[in-house]
PDB file of all heavy atoms in Angstrom:
ATOM      1  N   ILE J   2     178.433  97.975 161.705  1.00  0.00           N
ATOM      2  CA  ILE J   2     177.614  97.533 162.834  1.00  0.00           C
ATOM      3  C   ILE J   2     178.181  96.266 163.457  1.00  0.00           C
ATOM      4  O   ILE J   2     177.817  95.898 164.592  1.00  0.00           O
ATOM      5  CB  ILE J   2     176.149  97.305 162.379  1.00  0.00           C
ATOM      6  CG1 ILE J   2     175.187  97.548 163.561  1.00  0.00           C
ATOM      7  CG2 ILE J   2     175.934  95.908 161.831  1.00  0.00           C
ATOM      8  CD1 ILE J   2     175.102  98.979 163.981  1.00  0.00           C
ATOM      9  N   LEU J   3     179.074  95.590 162.760  1.00  0.00           N
ATOM     10  CA  LEU J   3     179.681  94.377 163.310  1.00  0.00           C
ATOM     11  C   LEU J   3     180.428  94.676 164.605  1.00  0.00           C
ATOM     12  O   LEU J   3     180.472  93.842 165.512  1.00  0.00           O
ATOM     13  CB  LEU J   3     180.633  93.753 162.290  1.00  0.00           C
ATOM     14  CG  LEU J   3     180.007  93.259 160.976  1.00  0.00           C
ATOM     15  CD1 LEU J   3     181.091  92.696 160.060  1.00  0.00           C
ATOM     16  CD2 LEU J   3     178.944  92.222 161.241  1.00  0.00           C
ATOM     17  N   THR J   4     181.014  95.863 164.689  1.00  0.00           N
ATOM     18  CA  THR J   4     181.728  96.260 165.917  1.00  0.00           C
ATOM     19  C   THR J   4     180.791  96.226 167.112  1.00  0.00           C
ATOM     20  O   THR J   4     181.175  95.819 168.220  1.00  0.00           O
ATOM     21  CB  THR J   4     182.324  97.668 165.752  1.00  0.00           C
ATOM     22  OG1 THR J   4     183.193  97.685 164.630  1.00  0.00           O
ATOM     23  CG2 THR J   4     183.083  98.086 166.999  1.00  0.00           C
ATOM     24  N   LEU J   5     179.567  96.655 166.888  1.00  0.00           N
ATOM     25  CA  LEU J   5     178.569  96.675 167.959  1.00  0.00           C
ATOM     26  C   LEU J   5     178.179  95.256 168.352  1.00  0.00           C
ATOM     27  O   LEU J   5     178.114  94.918 169.545  1.00  0.00           O
ATOM     28  CB  LEU J   5     177.348  97.457 167.479  1.00  0.00           C
ATOM     29  CG  LEU J   5     176.302  97.844 168.521  1.00  0.00           C
ATOM     30  CD1 LEU J   5     176.892  98.794 169.543  1.00  0.00           C
ATOM     31  CD2 LEU J   5     175.099  98.489 167.836  1.00  0.00           C
ATOM     32  N   LEU J   6     177.933  94.405 167.364  1.00  0.00           N
ATOM     33  CA  LEU J   6     177.496  93.041 167.648  1.00  0.00           C
ATOM     34  C   LEU J   6     178.612  92.193 168.256  1.00  0.00           C
ATOM     35  O   LEU J   6     178.345  91.250 169.002  1.00  0.00           O
ATOM     36  CB  LEU J   6     176.989  92.382 166.362  1.00  0.00           C
ATOM     37  CG  LEU J   6     175.842  93.090 165.643  1.00  0.00           C
ATOM     38  CD1 LEU J   6     175.390  92.284 164.431  1.00  0.00           C
ATOM     39  CD2 LEU J   6     174.664  93.322 166.578  1.00  0.00           C
ATOM     40  N   ASP J   7     179.848  92.536 167.934  1.00  0.00           N
ATOM     41  CA  ASP J   7     180.982  91.780 168.483  1.00  0.00           C
ATOM     42  C   ASP J   7     181.242  92.085 169.953  1.00  0.00           C
ATOM     43  O   ASP J   7     182.044  91.411 170.588  1.00  0.00           O
ATOM     44  CB  ASP J   7     182.249  92.078 167.679  1.00  0.00           C
ATOM     45  CG  ASP J   7     182.229  91.398 166.312  1.00  0.00           C
ATOM     46  OD1 ASP J   7     181.493  90.404 166.170  1.00  0.00           O
ATOM     47  OD2 ASP J   7     182.933  91.868 165.403  1.00  0.00           O
ATOM     48  N   GLY J   8     180.591  93.115 170.488  1.00  0.00           N
ATOM     49  CA  GLY J   8     180.711  93.391 171.909  1.00  0.00           C
ATOM     50  C   GLY J   8     181.813  94.338 172.298  1.00  0.00           C
ATOM     51  O   GLY J   8     182.206  94.379 173.464  1.00  0.00           O
ATOM     52  N   ASN J   9     182.312  95.108 171.350  1.00  0.00           N
ATOM     53  CA  ASN J   9     183.399  96.035 171.680  1.00  0.00           C
ATOM     54  C   ASN J   9     182.911  97.284 172.410  1.00  0.00           C
ATOM     55  O   ASN J   9     183.708  98.020 172.974  1.00  0.00           O
ATOM     56  CB  ASN J   9     184.136  96.443 170.398  1.00  0.00           C
ATOM     57  CG  ASN J   9     184.832  95.258 169.750  1.00  0.00           C
ATOM     58  OD1 ASN J   9     185.176  94.301 170.430  1.00  0.00           O
ATOM     59  ND2 ASN J   9     185.022  95.322 168.446  1.00  0.00           N
ATOM     60  N   PHE J  10     181.589  97.534 172.376  1.00  0.00           N
ATOM     61  CA  PHE J  10     181.063  98.722 173.044  1.00  0.00           C
ATOM     62  C   PHE J  10     179.947  98.391 174.023  1.00  0.00           C
ATOM     63  O   PHE J  10     180.038  98.715 175.199  1.00  0.00           O
ATOM     64  CB  PHE J  10     180.534  99.724 172.004  1.00  0.00           C
ATOM     65  CG  PHE J  10     181.626 100.480 171.311  1.00  0.00           C
ATOM     66  CD1 PHE J  10     182.212 100.001 170.155  1.00  0.00           C
ATOM     67  CD2 PHE J  10     182.091 101.687 171.814  1.00  0.00           C
ATOM     68  CE1 PHE J  10     183.219 100.696 169.506  1.00  0.00           C
ATOM     69  CE2 PHE J  10     183.098 102.390 171.180  1.00  0.00           C
ATOM     70  CZ  PHE J  10     183.667 101.892 170.019  1.00  0.00           C
ATOM     71  N   ALA J  11     178.882  97.786 173.525  1.00  0.00           N
ATOM     72  CA  ALA J  11     177.671  97.628 174.338  1.00  0.00           C
ATOM     73  C   ALA J  11     177.889  96.679 175.505  1.00  0.00           C
ATOM     74  O   ALA J  11     178.700  95.755 175.442  1.00  0.00           O
ATOM     75  CB  ALA J  11     176.531  97.132 173.466  1.00  0.00           C
ATOM     76  N   SER J  12     177.156  96.923 176.575  1.00  0.00           N
ATOM     77  CA  SER J  12     177.235  96.077 177.765  1.00  0.00           C
ATOM     78  C   SER J  12     176.129  95.034 177.712  1.00  0.00           C
ATOM     79  O   SER J  12     175.981  94.341 176.716  1.00  0.00           O
ATOM     80  CB  SER J  12     177.156  96.942 179.011  1.00  0.00           C
ATOM     81  OG  SER J  12     175.992  97.752 178.982  1.00  0.00           O
ATOM     82  N   HIS J  13     175.347  94.933 178.792  1.00  0.00           N
ATOM     83  CA  HIS J  13     174.328  93.883 178.873  1.00  0.00           C
ATOM     84  C   HIS J  13     173.156  94.226 177.941  1.00  0.00           C
ATOM     85  O   HIS J  13     172.154  94.791 178.358  1.00  0.00           O
ATOM     86  CB  HIS J  13     173.849  93.748 180.320  1.00  0.00           C
ATOM     87  CG  HIS J  13     173.165  92.446 180.584  1.00  0.00           C
ATOM     88  ND1 HIS J  13     172.735  92.066 181.827  1.00  0.00           N
ATOM     89  CD2 HIS J  13     172.832  91.419 179.754  1.00  0.00           C
ATOM     90  CE1 HIS J  13     172.173  90.879 181.759  1.00  0.00           C
ATOM     91  NE2 HIS J  13     172.223  90.470 180.512  1.00  0.00           N
ATOM     92  N   THR J  14     173.298  93.840 176.676  1.00  0.00           N
ATOM     93  CA  THR J  14     172.343  94.238 175.644  1.00  0.00           C
ATOM     94  C   THR J  14     172.008  93.049 174.756  1.00  0.00           C
ATOM     95  O   THR J  14     172.871  92.229 174.441  1.00  0.00           O
ATOM     96  CB  THR J  14     172.933  95.360 174.766  1.00  0.00           C
ATOM     97  OG1 THR J  14     173.332  96.446 175.598  1.00  0.00           O
ATOM     98  CG2 THR J  14     171.928  95.845 173.737  1.00  0.00           C
ATOM     99  N   MET J  15     170.734  92.964 174.364  1.00  0.00           N
ATOM    100  CA  MET J  15     170.325  91.999 173.350  1.00  0.00           C
ATOM    101  C   MET J  15     169.934  92.764 172.090  1.00  0.00           C
ATOM    102  O   MET J  15     169.106  93.671 172.136  1.00  0.00           O
ATOM    103  CB  MET J  15     169.130  91.144 173.801  1.00  0.00           C
ATOM    104  CG  MET J  15     168.716  90.110 172.739  1.00  0.00           C
ATOM    105  SD  MET J  15     167.085  89.361 173.032  1.00  0.00           S
ATOM    106  CE  MET J  15     167.326  88.575 174.602  1.00  0.00           C
ATOM    107  N   PHE J  16     170.547  92.412 170.979  1.00  0.00           N
ATOM    108  CA  PHE J  16     170.179  92.969 169.684  1.00  0.00           C
ATOM    109  C   PHE J  16     169.298  91.955 168.957  1.00  0.00           C
ATOM    110  O   PHE J  16     169.712  90.803 168.771  1.00  0.00           O
ATOM    111  CB  PHE J  16     171.417  93.280 168.841  1.00  0.00           C
ATOM    112  CG  PHE J  16     172.275  94.379 169.411  1.00  0.00           C
ATOM    113  CD1 PHE J  16     173.407  94.084 170.156  1.00  0.00           C
ATOM    114  CD2 PHE J  16     171.946  95.711 169.205  1.00  0.00           C
ATOM    115  CE1 PHE J  16     174.199  95.088 170.674  1.00  0.00           C
ATOM    116  CE2 PHE J  16     172.737  96.730 169.724  1.00  0.00           C
ATOM    117  CZ  PHE J  16     173.861  96.416 170.469  1.00  0.00           C
ATOM    118  N   VAL J  17     168.105  92.377 168.562  1.00  0.00           N
ATOM    119  CA  VAL J  17     167.197  91.508 167.818  1.00  0.00           C
ATOM    120  C   VAL J  17     167.015  92.101 166.432  1.00  0.00           C
ATOM    121  O   VAL J  17     166.485  93.200 166.278  1.00  0.00           O
ATOM    122  CB  VAL J  17     165.831  91.362 168.523  1.00  0.00           C
ATOM    123  CG1 VAL J  17     164.948  90.389 167.756  1.00  0.00           C
ATOM    124  CG2 VAL J  17     166.026  90.894 169.966  1.00  0.00           C
ATOM    125  N   LEU J  18     167.490  91.380 165.428  1.00  0.00           N
ATOM    126  CA  LEU J  18     167.427  91.839 164.048  1.00  0.00           C
ATOM    127  C   LEU J  18     166.450  90.977 163.263  1.00  0.00           C
ATOM    128  O   LEU J  18     166.457  89.747 163.395  1.00  0.00           O
ATOM    129  CB  LEU J  18     168.805  91.757 163.375  1.00  0.00           C
ATOM    130  CG  LEU J  18     169.963  92.594 163.925  1.00  0.00           C
ATOM    131  CD1 LEU J  18     170.499  92.056 165.233  1.00  0.00           C
ATOM    132  CD2 LEU J  18     171.094  92.645 162.903  1.00  0.00           C
ATOM    133  N   THR J  19     165.591  91.588 162.472  1.00  0.00           N
ATOM    134  CA  THR J  19     164.744  90.830 161.557  1.00  0.00           C
ATOM    135  C   THR J  19     165.104  91.227 160.136  1.00  0.00           C
ATOM    136  O   THR J  19     165.509  92.365 159.874  1.00  0.00           O
ATOM    137  CB  THR J  19     163.244  91.097 161.790  1.00  0.00           C
ATOM    138  OG1 THR J  19     162.906  92.418 161.336  1.00  0.00           O
ATOM    139  CG2 THR J  19     162.877  90.943 163.253  1.00  0.00           C
ATOM    140  N   MET J  20     164.954  90.269 159.235  1.00  0.00           N
ATOM    141  CA  MET J  20     165.273  90.564 157.845  1.00  0.00           C
ATOM    142  C   MET J  20     164.507  89.621 156.923  1.00  0.00           C
ATOM    143  O   MET J  20     164.165  88.503 157.298  1.00  0.00           O
ATOM    144  CB  MET J  20     166.779  90.469 157.598  1.00  0.00           C
ATOM    145  CG  MET J  20     167.390  89.111 157.893  1.00  0.00           C
ATOM    146  SD  MET J  20     169.200  89.134 157.754  1.00  0.00           S
ATOM    147  CE  MET J  20     169.400  89.447 156.015  1.00  0.00           C
ATOM    148  N   ASN J  21     164.264  90.113 155.711  1.00  0.00           N
ATOM    149  CA  ASN J  21     163.580  89.307 154.709  1.00  0.00           C
ATOM    150  C   ASN J  21     164.559  88.535 153.840  1.00  0.00           C
ATOM    151  O   ASN J  21     164.225  87.515 153.265  1.00  0.00           O
ATOM    152  CB  ASN J  21     162.710  90.193 153.807  1.00  0.00           C
ATOM    153  CG  ASN J  21     161.612  90.890 154.588  1.00  0.00           C
ATOM    154  OD1 ASN J  21     161.035  90.303 155.488  1.00  0.00           O
ATOM    155  ND2 ASN J  21     161.323  92.131 154.249  1.00  0.00           N
ATOM    156  N   ALA J  22     165.785  89.045 153.703  1.00  0.00           N
ATOM    157  CA  ALA J  22     166.782  88.400 152.854  1.00  0.00           C
ATOM    158  C   ALA J  22     167.314  87.140 153.518  1.00  0.00           C
ATOM    159  O   ALA J  22     167.082  86.880 154.700  1.00  0.00           O
ATOM    160  CB  ALA J  22     167.925  89.369 152.558  1.00  0.00           C
ATOM    161  N   ASN J  23     168.031  86.368 152.738  1.00  0.00           N
ATOM    162  CA  ASN J  23     168.653  85.143 153.238  1.00  0.00           C
ATOM    163  C   ASN J  23     169.984  85.498 153.894  1.00  0.00           C
ATOM    164  O   ASN J  23     170.850  86.097 153.270  1.00  0.00           O
ATOM    165  CB  ASN J  23     168.869  84.163 152.082  1.00  0.00           C
ATOM    166  CG  ASN J  23     169.328  82.804 152.574  1.00  0.00           C
ATOM    167  OD1 ASN J  23     169.945  82.680 153.632  1.00  0.00           O
ATOM    168  ND2 ASN J  23     169.012  81.788 151.809  1.00  0.00           N
ATOM    169  N   LEU J  24     170.167  85.095 155.137  1.00  0.00           N
ATOM    170  CA  LEU J  24     171.370  85.462 155.883  1.00  0.00           C
ATOM    171  C   LEU J  24     172.634  84.907 155.245  1.00  0.00           C
ATOM    172  O   LEU J  24     173.715  85.480 155.362  1.00  0.00           O
ATOM    173  CB  LEU J  24     171.254  84.948 157.325  1.00  0.00           C
ATOM    174  CG  LEU J  24     172.317  85.414 158.324  1.00  0.00           C
ATOM    175  CD1 LEU J  24     172.310  86.916 158.447  1.00  0.00           C
ATOM    176  CD2 LEU J  24     172.091  84.773 159.682  1.00  0.00           C
ATOM    177  N   SER J  25     172.511  83.788 154.550  1.00  0.00           N
ATOM    178  CA  SER J  25     173.689  83.177 153.947  1.00  0.00           C
ATOM    179  C   SER J  25     174.025  83.766 152.581  1.00  0.00           C
ATOM    180  O   SER J  25     174.979  83.343 151.940  1.00  0.00           O
ATOM    181  CB  SER J  25     173.471  81.659 153.796  1.00  0.00           C
ATOM    182  OG  SER J  25     172.344  81.392 152.985  1.00  0.00           O
ATOM    183  N   SER J  26     173.242  84.755 152.127  1.00  0.00           N
ATOM    184  CA  SER J  26     173.532  85.376 150.845  1.00  0.00           C
ATOM    185  C   SER J  26     174.807  86.204 150.927  1.00  0.00           C
ATOM    186  O   SER J  26     175.314  86.505 152.008  1.00  0.00           O
ATOM    187  CB  SER J  26     172.359  86.269 150.408  1.00  0.00           C
ATOM    188  OG  SER J  26     172.229  87.373 151.277  1.00  0.00           O
ATOM    189  N   GLY J  27     175.328  86.600 149.756  1.00  0.00           N
ATOM    190  CA  GLY J  27     176.604  87.295 149.707  1.00  0.00           C
ATOM    191  C   GLY J  27     176.635  88.595 150.475  1.00  0.00           C
ATOM    192  O   GLY J  27     177.682  89.011 150.972  1.00  0.00           O
ATOM    193  N   ASN J  28     175.493  89.273 150.609  1.00  0.00           N
ATOM    194  CA  ASN J  28     175.469  90.561 151.298  1.00  0.00           C
ATOM    195  C   ASN J  28     175.583  90.434 152.814  1.00  0.00           C
ATOM    196  O   ASN J  28     175.820  91.428 153.501  1.00  0.00           O
ATOM    197  CB  ASN J  28     174.179  91.313 150.955  1.00  0.00           C
ATOM    198  CG  ASN J  28     174.150  91.764 149.506  1.00  0.00           C
ATOM    199  OD1 ASN J  28     175.195  92.008 148.909  1.00  0.00           O
ATOM    200  ND2 ASN J  28     172.963  91.851 148.937  1.00  0.00           N
ATOM    201  N   PHE J  29     175.408  89.222 153.333  1.00  0.00           N
ATOM    202  CA  PHE J  29     175.408  89.050 154.791  1.00  0.00           C
ATOM    203  C   PHE J  29     176.318  87.909 155.223  1.00  0.00           C
ATOM    204  O   PHE J  29     176.079  87.245 156.220  1.00  0.00           O
ATOM    205  CB  PHE J  29     173.966  88.800 155.277  1.00  0.00           C
ATOM    206  CG  PHE J  29     173.031  89.934 154.986  1.00  0.00           C
ATOM    207  CD1 PHE J  29     172.293  89.943 153.809  1.00  0.00           C
ATOM    208  CD2 PHE J  29     172.910  91.002 155.856  1.00  0.00           C
ATOM    209  CE1 PHE J  29     171.448  91.003 153.519  1.00  0.00           C
ATOM    210  CE2 PHE J  29     172.054  92.057 155.568  1.00  0.00           C
ATOM    211  CZ  PHE J  29     171.325  92.060 154.396  1.00  0.00           C
ATOM    212  N   GLU J  30     177.388  87.695 154.451  1.00  0.00           N
ATOM    213  CA  GLU J  30     178.274  86.582 154.753  1.00  0.00           C
ATOM    214  C   GLU J  30     178.976  86.734 156.096  1.00  0.00           C
ATOM    215  O   GLU J  30     179.383  85.739 156.705  1.00  0.00           O
ATOM    216  CB  GLU J  30     179.304  86.404 153.631  1.00  0.00           C
ATOM    217  CG  GLU J  30     180.344  87.521 153.513  1.00  0.00           C
ATOM    218  CD  GLU J  30     179.888  88.680 152.650  1.00  0.00           C
ATOM    219  OE1 GLU J  30     178.672  88.765 152.367  1.00  0.00           O
ATOM    220  OE2 GLU J  30     180.738  89.512 152.270  1.00  0.00           O
ATOM    221  N   PHE J  31     179.111  87.964 156.599  1.00  0.00           N
ATOM    222  CA  PHE J  31     179.800  88.173 157.870  1.00  0.00           C
ATOM    223  C   PHE J  31     178.901  87.888 159.080  1.00  0.00           C
ATOM    224  O   PHE J  31     179.348  87.962 160.219  1.00  0.00           O
ATOM    225  CB  PHE J  31     180.338  89.598 157.958  1.00  0.00           C
ATOM    226  CG  PHE J  31     181.389  89.911 156.927  1.00  0.00           C
ATOM    227  CD1 PHE J  31     181.251  90.982 156.070  1.00  0.00           C
ATOM    228  CD2 PHE J  31     182.514  89.106 156.806  1.00  0.00           C
ATOM    229  CE1 PHE J  31     182.210  91.254 155.108  1.00  0.00           C
ATOM    230  CE2 PHE J  31     183.486  89.371 155.848  1.00  0.00           C
ATOM    231  CZ  PHE J  31     183.336  90.449 154.994  1.00  0.00           C
TER     232      PHE J  31
END
């Protein structure tokens, strides 16, 4: 999904993500 967020495909789009985990944890380091 990083490809999508990096802007390689989508045009004028806002992605809003919610999560319960800590973003700085090992699973979301990118």
Side-chain angles (χ1 to χ4, degrees):
I2 209 69
L3 297 179
T4 302
L5 192 64
L6 302 183
D7 286 338
N9 295 334
F10 283 89
S12 55
H13 199 175
T14 305
M15 181 194 299
F16 294 98
V17 183
L18 298 73
T19 72
M20 60 186 294
N21 297 322
N23 188 333
L24 189 60
S25 59
S26 67
N28 291 331
F29 299 92
E30 69 273 15
F31 296 125

